[in-house]
């Protein structure tokens, strides 16, 4: 059944993330909490959001968002860059430190993508890519993303 197969895949990716987050939690004195990891993942997925865009997506108040972001900046996992257009506004970005320590979802996805390319024909991979693109761009409109994932994130 389609629903079960999709749920299993989605759950396996989540479990990979959770496992690695828990491993990082136990190994770092000044690491990130699970909530902080989720905050940085949202910032990364939104693709350089402003503090207000992050707050709006997370459905938290701007002062609460600013507090969380300042902690992430202090720990070195997020940077705030002043907007060229509006000097009162800052865009958030994930640091290389975060990607090295926690950019863990994408590592496992790369492993799975490599296995897909080995297991299936080029035509089947192209069809899967087409189906996934339609799902993302047409069927999941409630969760817009600014980030475009490219070969720097997912090398072939």
């Amino acid at each position: 059944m389609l629903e079960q197969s999709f749920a299993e895949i989605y759950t396996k990716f989540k479990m990979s993330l959770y496992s690695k987050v828990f491993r990082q939690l136990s190994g770092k004195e000044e690491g990130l909490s699970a909530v902080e990891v989720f905050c940085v993942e949202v910032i990364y997925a939104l693709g350089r959001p402003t503090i207000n865009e992050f707050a709006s997506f997370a459905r938290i108040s701007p002062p609460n968002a600013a507090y969380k972001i300042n902690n992430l900046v202090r720990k070195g996992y997020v940077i705030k860059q002043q907007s060229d257009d509006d000097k009162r506004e800052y865009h958030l970005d994930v640091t290389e430190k975060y990607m090295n320590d926690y950019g863990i979802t994408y590592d496992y996805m790369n492993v799975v993508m490599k296995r897909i390319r080995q297991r299936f024909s080029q035509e089947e991979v192209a069809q899967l890519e087409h189906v996934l693109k339609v799902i993302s761009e047409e069927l999941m409109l409630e969760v817009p993303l600014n980030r475009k994932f490219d070969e720097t994130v997912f090398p072939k």
Side-chain angles (χ1 to χ4, degrees):
M1 178 181 238
L2 178 64
E3 291 81 357
Q4 286 176 322
S5 296
F6 189 86
E8 284 180 21
I9 291 169
Y10 177 66
T11 299
K12 286 181 178 187
F13 279 118
K14 285 191 309 183
M15 295 303 286
S16 172
L17 172 66
Y18 300 162
S19 171
K20 291 176 182 179
V21 167
F22 287 128
R23 232 179 325 204
Q24 291 290 345
L25 287 173
S26 64
K28 298 240 181 220
E29 197 171 295
E30 185 63 16
L32 299 177
S33 70
V35 170
E36 288 173 323
V37 170
F38 292 138
C39 288
V40 183
E41 286 290 315
V42 166
I43 290 166
Y44 182 72
L46 291 175
R48 300 193 71 239
T50 64
I51 295 170
N52 284 335
E53 288 169 339
F54 168 75
S56 176
F57 181 86
R59 292 189 169 99
I60 59 177
S61 69
N64 189 4
Y67 174 79
K68 289 180 184 310
I69 289 162
N70 286 335
N71 282 336
L72 294 168
V73 169
R74 182 181 54 78
K75 291 181 179 184
Y77 292 104
V78 169
I79 57 172
K80 296 192 298 188
Q81 296 176 323
Q82 193 171 36
S83 172
D84 292 334
D85 300 330
D86 184 347
K87 300 296 184 195
R88 298 168 297 169
E89 198 168 68
Y90 288 86
H91 290 274
L92 308 172
D93 213 347
V94 174
T95 64
E96 195 169 316
K97 178 181 179 181
Y98 177 79
M99 292 308 287
N100 290 337
D101 289 356
Y102 294 92
I104 44 193
T105 310
Y106 309 102
D107 292 343
Y108 186 55
M109 282 188 217
N110 282 327
V111 168
V112 174
M113 294 305 115
K114 183 178 178 185
R115 290 174 182 163
I116 287 171
R117 284 186 178 88
Q118 291 171 344
R119 168 66 175 81
F120 298 102
S121 71
Q122 286 183 328
E123 294 80 20
E124 289 171 313
V125 171
Q127 183 64 28
L128 175 61
E129 186 173 356
H130 170 73
V131 169
L132 293 175
K133 188 173 177 114
V134 169
I135 291 169
S136 178
E137 294 177 359
E138 297 176 23
L139 306 179
M140 297 182 77
L141 299 175
E142 300 82 2
V143 188
L145 298 180
N146 294 335
R147 168 144 334 261
K148 295 294 180 199
F149 297 94
D150 58 24
E151 294 212 14
T152 61
V153 178
F154 296 109
K156 289 188 178 184

